[in-house]
Amino acid sequence: MSGKIVKVSGPLVVAEGLADANMADVVRVGKERLIGEILTMTGDTASIQVYEETSGLGPGAEVVTTGSPLSVELGPGLLENIYDGIQRPLTEVRERYGSTIARGIDIPALNRTKKWDFVPAVAAGDKVTGGAIIGTVDETSAVQHKIMVPPGVSGVVQSIEAGSFTVEEPVCTVKTDDGSVKALTMMQKWPVRVSRPYLRKSVPTTPLCSGQRVIDTFFPIAKGGTAAVPGPFGSGKTVVQHQLAKWSDVDIVVYIGCGERGNEMTDVLMEFPELSDPRTGEPLMKRTVLIANTSDMPVAAREASIYTGITIAEYFRDMGYDVAVIADSTSRWAEALREMSGRLEEMPGEEGYPAYLASRLAQFYERAGVVECIGGDGRTGSLTAIGAVSPPGGDTSEPVSQATMRIVKVFWGLDASLAYARHFPAINWLTSYSLYLDTLKPWYDEVFGRDFLQNRERAMALLQEEAELQEIVKLVGQDALSAPDRLTLETAKMIREDFLQQNAFVDLDCYSSYGKQSGLLSLILTYNKLCRQALEKDETIVDALFSIEARERIGRAKMVPAEEYQAVYAEIAEEMAQQIAEIIEGGGGK
Amino acid sequence: MIKEYRTIKEIVSPLMLVRDVEGVTYDELAEIELPNGEIRRCKVLEVNGDTAVVQLFESAAGINLAQSKVRFLGHPLELGVSADMLGRVFNGMGQPIDGGPEILADAYMNINGLPMNPAARDYPNEFIQTGISTIDGLNTLVRGQKLPIFSGSGLPHARLAAQIARQAKVLGDQSANFAVVFAAIGITFEESEYFVQEFKRTGAIDRTVLFTNLADNPAVERIATPRMALTAAEYLAFEKDMHVLVILTDITNYAEALREVSAARKEVPGRRGYPGYLYTDLATMYERAGRRISKRGSITMIPILTMPEDDKTHPIPDLTGYITEGQIILSRDLYRRGINPPVDVLPSLSRLKDKGIGEGKTREDHADTMNQLFAAYSAGKDAKELMTILGESALTPTDLLYAKFATEFEQRYVSQSFEENRSIEETLNLGWELLSILPKSELKRIRPAYIDKYLPAKKS
């Protein structure tokens, strides 16, 4: 049965005669069979958001429901791929339709002809439940794809075959509990707006290592945690997000370009295959799935892209992997929500955003977490969600920023004035926070000893003090400060310039291991400690202390290659101690 | 057979309601024939059953509800494109106004274009030398980039844009396969004429396509003007393999026209009364810049906008900045001090610079010196600020050097005339000369090897 369009207003189409359709069903609109989704139903009249440009649609055109909600295809072939907001494979779209995205494109998300080598992990007669791993496929050189029984299916394996299969060919048959026989393929479908099931959630206790000093040492995020990166344009949000996508020590990265620039996605597409994971040595692209719904692509599909991305991420989490979802930017997603809400003539909340903005955002972030997966083998997976926020004018008092800050536990506040001074990453150390410090403390204490967090606290205290002293300097000048205060300013400057600043575009600096991070910070803090002791004896030597040669070496210490840093840092520490001792001996006259 | 309707029920400029229509589709182009035979154009914004909401591109004055006829043309607003458009002048709706013949269209293209597949983009990485130090050295422009100029009323953005159009070249590329597409959106005759004269003076006029919607032309027509220009640009770049520079001025006028239509439709307004979809709408224009895989041409875009009250957080510059790949911001303070072009270096940015500079493109030391110049200028400005409050004596010797650096940097690096064309070598060497004011130990952002190689010896 099919309905007929009665109204078209931009991406919103109203059709009648759809009594058979369910809420949230995917429908096909018009003779080009554009993809749409039902938002509201009144009698047999449905309001539909159309994921493609609606130019040329008019009253009378046919609308057919597919009877199922918006879903994604999950199976081998996801990795290294780039999809649009409703999971159409963009590389294949280009091959078939050229460089622009035409309308009514209908290409399945997973390649139907490609054969994958399936290795069974269970045998006939084994009992399996939803989520159980029945076999594996080496999808890329970096990731083993685990084929799972779809949630809700359980029974006894009747037959299972090793060999080469496409995603549509059955690899296994299961006699389900109600007696029927079900053939399983390597592909399953899942509705994007429903989170995939798990056994239980637990509190995240392991940090996600990103190789970014300001993040890992100062404002860490846990695997399974949530974080937001708000900042005005030009403050380096995208670079921070790219850095996280590149260097995070997770197994899978799902990067969602939601309403952002096309060239940024192109950059990822071109750069990731060239870069290699510092842990496995494999190209980063081998563990990455890209979702690109750029700002010029239809706005309704932008709304869906976030859900498409996180559902794919949940699927990999269910295999027992650590997954990170990076969404750039949730503000554009919220704007898409606002646009549809306006067209539906809903009563607006703040700044025109719909009243359900905060609850939708919360639902998205709540799909993150550390979980025990279903399937009966007790494996755990984690899903970390990191979202950029683009507040208008950089003012975080607006609804999207505020609603996000109520949910996420890590806040990396980007600051335009730092960006102007080319202090990158421009994460403001005074306004940012991480609420995971307490839950992660046992991990840090165990792996790096207590020094790690104590050093962090000392450094934060110095930066805090610097901010206060700067106020005084602005009023009365440097001269009014005591020698120890001047040392505080000097050390804080070193922390800022020599530690916090990190150049994403320099090979030696873009990734910093934990060891290198803590080594570098303790060098700076040791300098502070030694100088402070020296000043207790003689305050007149302060200028001499500031100009020791080792200072310059500390300034360049972050560029020391990863293999050599331990030796070099030890050498610098020794040199520094010696030079300071010499000055103390020489006295203030020097 | 195209039907004619005499069923206009309501006109609240720029919107019109037509009843009892059949077979009308969203975004369709329509014509209104006035009783005196005059024809005006409009497009469908919404169809609801047998009622169509239509947006007029021109004034509603003179339309008689009973006697005017409406014809729906069955296709969206299109532009007839052809290589013959070069050297011609069109109005904001794409009709020739230079007295020349009609264009024999090679093809008719929907002015809204189609979204570019991100997997089909080619990353812009060819350095464009504009001959302007603050752009080449610090905010490098590359082919296929969209880099707006954020200006204010009374600032010389037109002269800067003309200078870029005149001087821009890709090093080593001898082909003369370039074109300029210029869209005047609601600007004055004088401003538009300035560009025309500039293009004539440099001989670029033969390779230029002009679309002009001047301040006294219908405001709503402005919604179509930049899209006309971009459609022409896409044709020249991706069908005719040309490197096209698109200059759109002034985006602020465009956004205001959009607001007018939105207000007439009684939509829920976003910030400052602009519609909530302003971001998406601007993005569908800006994102048309770029390069495509397996196409030789490119579209480089320089939109110009005047920031109301010089306020960067106003929705128009703000949303633009979120879409474009950087921005060149002009400073009233520098302009007052006679420093031209008055580019405010610190908040200006080119996001694509990193892929367009370095060995083989500009010079190996480019990235390091760029970062160092930014940091040093920022520190120098802070030092100068402190100096004005507390006097020179409050500064440390290093801070004094930074203050000196900032002054010299503005006077020698930023300041150049609108006529001076500096090569990238000259710009980079000038940067080193200025950096030599500072102690070597302060040059932390430059690799020691480059310091040894490029830092000029101190004059004794």
Side-chain angles (χ1 to χ4, degrees):
Chain A
M1 189 176 133
S2 67
K4 293 256 179 292
I5 293 183
V6 288
K7 175 182 170 180
V8 185
S9 168
L12 179 78
V13 166
V14 178
E16 56 184 21
L18 285 168
D20 279 3
N22 311 308
M23 270 295 279
D25 268 3
V26 168
V27 294
R28 295 306 193 113
V29 181
K31 59 175 186 292
E32 283 169 302
R33 294 179 56 73
L34 307 182
I35 301 167
E37 185 184 6
I38 295 180
L39 294 180
T40 64
M41 294 282 290
T42 318
D44 70 344
T45 308
S47 298
I48 298 159
Q49 68 171 341
V50 179
Y51 292 124
E52 299 177 69
E53 172 58 46
T54 51
S55 175
L57 280 184
E62 193 184 47
V63 178
V64 189
T65 174
T66 60
S68 55
L70 186 65
S71 304
V72 285
E73 293 183 356
L74 303 165
L78 286 170
L79 293 168
E80 293 183 90
N81 224 326
I82 176 166
Y83 293 109
D84 78 351
I86 46 174
Q87 216 201 4
R88 292 182 296 191
L90 288 172
T91 314
E92 276 179 63
V93 170
R94 182 191 76 217
E95 281 157 10
R96 283 207 226 163
Y97 297 89
S99 42
T100 54
I101 300 176
R103 299 194 300 164
I105 290 172
D106 199 358
I107 303 179
L110 296 179
N111 190 319
R112 292 293 193 265
T113 52
K114 182 159 181 181
K115 298 238 178 199
W116 300 94
D117 287 327
F118 175 75
V119 182
V122 291
D126 286 354
K127 183 149 177 33
V128 291
T129 57
I133 294 168
I134 54 167
T136 57
V137 167
D138 287 325
E139 186 177 348
T140 69
S141 47
V143 178
Q144 189 181 53
H145 196 112
K146 295 172 182 163
I147 308 297
M148 295 172 290
V149 177
V153 176
S154 67
V156 178
V157 177
Q158 276 200 320
S159 67
I160 187 159
E161 247 182 295
S164 215
F165 300 99
T166 67
V167 290
E168 281 181 316
E169 286 166 351
V171 292
C172 170
T173 53
V174 173
K175 186 164 188 187
T176 57
D177 301 342
D178 62 9
S180 64
V181 175
K182 201 169 167 64
L184 300 181
T185 63
M186 287 190 279
M187 175 176 77
Q188 43 178 291
K189 286 193 178 183
W190 192 261
V192 296
R193 296 184 200 277
V194 180
S195 46
R196 285 175 63 87
Y198 51 83
L199 276 182
R200 64 186 66 84
K201 252 188 194 175
S202 50
V203 176
T205 50
T206 321
L208 178 140
C209 170
S210 66
Q212 309 305 302
R213 289 187 290 268
V214 60
I215 291 176
D216 290 352
T217 301
F218 279 68
F219 309 107
I221 177 170
K223 277 184 187 149
T226 51
V229 198
F233 66 84
S235 57
K237 270 190 307 298
T238 301
V239 178
V240 169
Q241 301 260 56
H242 280 195
Q243 288 298 91
L244 288 164
K246 284 175 193 168
W247 310 122
S248 291
D249 65 338
V250 291
D251 303 306
I252 306 287
V253 171
V254 179
Y255 192 95
I256 310 169
C258 172
E260 288 287 312
R261 304 177 182 89
N263 277 330
E264 282 169 0
M265 296 314 292
T266 315
D267 188 22
V268 174
L269 266 182
M270 295 187 152
E271 199 181 2
F272 277 33
E274 308 290 319
L275 293 170
S276 54
D277 188 329
R279 282 161 294 268
T280 62
E282 292 290 337
L284 287 172
M285 199 64 199
K286 302 264 180 216
R287 62 160 202 189
T288 310
V289 184
L290 297 174
I291 312 287
N293 212 92
T294 56
S295 53
D296 55 338
M297 285 156 79
V299 67
R302 190 195 297 170
E303 195 267 332
S305 64
I306 291 267
Y307 296 104
T308 300
I310 200 147
T311 308
I312 293 173
E314 281 177 339
Y315 172 67
F316 282 105
R317 173 205 69 188
D318 290 348
M319 297 179 199
Y321 286 126
D322 291 323
V323 187
V325 167
I326 294 169
D328 187 11
S329 141
T330 54
S331 294
R332 304 302 162 220
W333 168 81
E335 278 169 17
L337 212 61
R338 173 168 71 182
E339 186 168 341
M340 289 317 299
S341 164
R343 304 248 185 210
L344 285 168
E345 295 170 8
E346 293 173 339
M347 184 66 83
E350 253 178 297
E351 288 192 23
Y353 286 105
Y356 45 79
L357 170 70
S359 59
R360 291 277 171 92
L361 266 172
Q363 276 164 12
F364 167 74
Y365 281 110
E366 198 52 25
R367 289 172 79 167
V370 180
V371 303
E372 190 183 320
C373 311
I374 56 169
D377 61 356
R379 63 183 187 271
T380 59
S382 76
L383 202 173
T384 312
I386 300 164
V389 183
S390 320
D395 172 12
T396 52
S397 67
E398 55 91 38
V400 183
S401 305
Q402 286 301 316
T404 307
M405 280 157 75
R406 286 213 306 273
I407 307 158
V408 299
K409 301 194 101 180
V410 180
F411 178 84
W412 296 312
L414 296 176
D415 192 324
S417 59
L418 288 176
Y420 296 163
R422 290 329 186 241
H423 174 112
F424 286 117
I427 295 176
N428 185 316
W429 49 90
L430 297 176
T431 58
S432 301
Y433 59 80
S434 164
L435 299 180
Y436 289 114
L437 280 168
D438 290 335
T439 46
L440 295 179
K441 188 169 187 301
W443 189 91
Y444 282 117
D445 286 354
E446 194 189 317
V447 180
F448 297 116
R450 287 175 178 277
D451 280 359
F452 191 86
L453 284 184
Q454 276 167 6
N455 275 350
R456 176 199 179 268
E457 261 166 52
R458 257 177 238 137
M460 276 304 284
L462 281 165
L463 290 169
Q464 190 72 49
E465 241 177 281
E466 183 201 27
E468 286 159 22
L469 289 172
Q470 288 289 8
E471 294 293 310
I472 300 173
V473 171
K474 270 191 195 134
L475 291 174
V476 292
Q478 285 257 359
D479 294 345
L481 295 183
S482 66
D485 281 349
R486 284 183 61 198
L487 176 63
T488 302
L489 284 185
E490 203 66 16
T491 315
K493 186 178 167 205
M494 286 166 79
I495 297 174
R496 284 190 283 112
E497 292 183 356
D498 305 339
F499 184 80
L500 292 178
Q501 284 184 14
Q502 189 167 359
N503 193 332
F505 301 100
V506 172
D507 293 343
L508 288 174
D509 197 25
C510 60
Y511 174 82
S512 205
S513 67
Y514 271 120
K516 200 174 158 187
Q517 297 190 20
S518 70
L520 185 53
L521 189 59
S522 55
L523 264 186
I524 297 170
L525 292 172
T526 311
Y527 170 80
N528 179 52
K529 195 168 96 191
L530 293 176
C531 288
R532 217 162 277 275
Q533 284 164 358
L535 289 179
E536 273 168 24
K537 292 177 194 143
D538 183 358
E539 292 208 348
T540 58
I541 57 173
V542 62
D543 287 316
L545 287 174
F546 288 173
S547 47
I548 60 169
E549 276 169 31
R551 279 282 306 273
E552 206 184 319
R553 289 199 67 186
I554 297 177
R556 298 190 186 283
K558 57 182 161 191
M559 303 294 250
V560 175
E563 316 79 62
E564 302 165 18
Y565 82 88
Q566 276 167 321
V568 176
Y569 286 7
E571 194 187 304
I572 297 176
E574 205 172 303
E575 235 175 69
M576 174 169 76
Q578 198 185 343
Q579 287 166 0
I580 292 173
E582 276 168 22
I583 290 170
I584 299 174
E585 230 163 85
K590 201 176 173 183
Chain B
M1 174 63 200
I2 290 173
K3 269 195 192 168
E4 286 186 347
Y5 296 96
R6 285 175 188 266
T7 47
I8 304 176
K9 274 286 161 299
E10 184 183 316
I11 298 182
V12 182
S13 185
L15 299 185
M16 185 169 85
L17 217 63
V18 190
R19 280 276 161 77
D20 302 328
V21 296
E22 233 176 84
V24 172
T25 63
Y26 174 69
D27 205 32
E28 190 174 342
L29 185 68
E31 283 178 351
I32 310 155
E33 194 180 321
L34 270 54
N36 63 5
E38 189 188 334
I39 288 178
R40 293 182 192 167
R41 294 212 267 180
C42 52
K43 74 165 182 182
V44 177
L45 285 186
E46 186 180 309
V47 266
N48 191 355
D50 61 357
T51 311
V53 179
V54 174
Q55 172 209 306
L56 299 164
F57 283 111
E58 290 153 72
S59 135
I63 300 182
N64 178 300
L65 295 195
Q67 284 159 31
S68 305
K69 289 181 277 194
V70 183
R71 282 189 292 272
F72 293 92
L73 303 178
H75 60 81
L77 188 51
E78 288 174 334
L79 177 70
V81 287
S82 143
D84 298 334
M85 295 178 92
L86 289 168
R88 300 289 305 273
V89 185
F90 302 88
N91 70 7
M93 292 296 283
Q95 290 144 341
I97 48 168
D98 53 1
E102 286 285 325
I103 297 291
L104 283 174
D106 208 29
Y108 286 91
M109 293 166 76
N110 182 341
I111 64 157
N112 289 320
L114 281 169
M116 216 190 286
N117 185 340
R121 280 180 188 267
D122 208 355
Y123 201 76
N125 58 7
E126 288 172 287
F127 168 69
I128 297 182
Q129 179 179 299
T130 63
I132 300 161
S133 291
T134 44
I135 296 179
D136 292 353
L138 302 174
N139 299 294
T140 317
L141 177 70
V142 294
R143 233 178 213 174
Q145 186 173 12
K146 39 193 179 291
L147 189 64
I149 298 175
F150 286 9
S151 181
S153 21
L155 291 179
H157 46 261
R159 298 184 70 186
L160 178 61
Q163 186 180 18
I164 294 172
R166 184 175 64 237
Q167 296 180 172
K169 66 169 182 182
V170 171
L171 298 178
D173 180 5
Q174 303 303 327
S175 73
N177 217 358
F178 77 94
V180 177
V181 173
F182 177 80
I185 310 163
I187 58 173
T188 59
F189 167 78
E190 279 172 52
E191 205 171 344
S192 160
E193 191 61 16
Y194 169 77
F195 279 100
V196 174
Q197 291 308 326
E198 269 296 310
F199 295 143
K200 279 194 179 144
R201 185 167 72 97
T202 55
I205 192 79
D206 294 338
R207 312 198 65 82
T208 303
V209 189
L210 287 128
F211 291 87
T212 52
N213 168 285
L214 298 184
D216 58 345
N217 293 136
V220 181
E221 188 182 294
R222 275 165 216 164
I223 294 177
T225 310
R227 295 199 160 80
M228 292 281 169
L230 286 163
T231 306
E234 274 175 358
Y235 173 78
L236 295 174
F238 304 125
E239 303 294 329
K240 296 286 162 204
D241 293 338
M242 300 182 98
H243 293 290
V244 185
L245 178 69
V246 179
I247 299 175
L248 307 173
T249 177
D250 178 327
I251 296 293
T252 307
N253 296 334
Y254 169 81
E256 261 153 26
L258 204 65
R259 177 165 68 176
E260 196 180 323
V261 176
S262 169
R265 295 189 68 186
K266 302 189 174 63
E267 291 171 334
V268 179
R271 280 208 306 154
R272 300 223 182 179
Y274 291 97
Y277 49 80
L278 182 62
Y279 175 85
T280 306
D281 189 274
L282 288 173
T284 54
M285 299 195 318
Y286 295 145
E287 280 290 326
R288 290 168 81 170
R291 296 167 65 204
R292 296 179 184 178
I293 288 172
S294 79
K295 301 272 183 190
R296 282 216 294 272
S298 65
I299 297 179
T300 309
M301 195 191 295
I302 302 187
I304 298 172
L305 55 92
T306 43
M307 299 181 279
E309 292 173 69
D310 294 357
D311 175 13
K312 199 168 59 125
T313 66
H314 184 279
I316 302 170
D318 190 53
L319 296 177
T320 298
Y322 275 122
I323 308 162
T324 53
E325 285 136 354
Q327 66 277 340
I328 302 289
I329 298 186
L330 301 189
S331 150
R332 204 169 288 279
D333 174 53
L334 290 175
Y335 184 57
R336 270 196 214 111
R337 285 192 274 140
I339 292 170
N340 276 320
V343 175
D344 197 351
V345 170
L346 296 180
S348 295
L349 170 73
S350 163
R351 291 167 189 272
L352 303 183
K353 61 182 185 303
D354 300 291
K355 301 268 161 50
I357 62 176
E359 209 174 345
K361 293 188 169 149
T362 54
R363 211 168 71 183
E364 53 181 3
D365 57 319
H366 194 155
D368 287 11
T369 49
M370 176 176 74
N371 287 328
Q372 190 69 60
L373 283 168
F374 270 123
Y377 181 50
S378 169
K381 276 187 86 163
D382 285 349
K384 279 175 80 174
E385 209 174 290
L386 209 58
M387 203 157 79
T388 41
I389 305 172
L390 301 166
E392 228 171 86
S393 59
L395 266 59
T396 63
T398 320
D399 281 348
L400 276 175
L401 287 175
Y402 270 114
K404 180 174 174 223
F405 169 85
T407 311
E408 297 242 337
F409 177 80
E410 283 173 6
Q411 271 160 14
R412 293 172 57 196
Y413 195 94
V414 181
S415 181
Q416 69 182 89
S417 76
F418 287 112
E419 297 299 321
E420 188 181 346
N421 189 355
R422 287 182 191 157
S423 76
I424 183 67
E425 286 278 324
E426 283 171 325
T427 293
L428 289 172
N429 292 341
L430 181 59
W432 278 105
E433 217 179 300
L434 291 167
L435 286 174
S436 70
I437 294 172
L438 300 172
K440 213 157 122 185
S441 59
E442 289 292 318
L443 305 182
K444 281 186 195 172
R445 291 167 190 253
I446 307 180
R447 268 162 265 200
Y450 297 156
I451 295 186
D452 295 342
K453 190 167 168 189
Y454 294 104
L455 188 69
K458 283 227 176 180
K459 286 171 213 141
S460 50

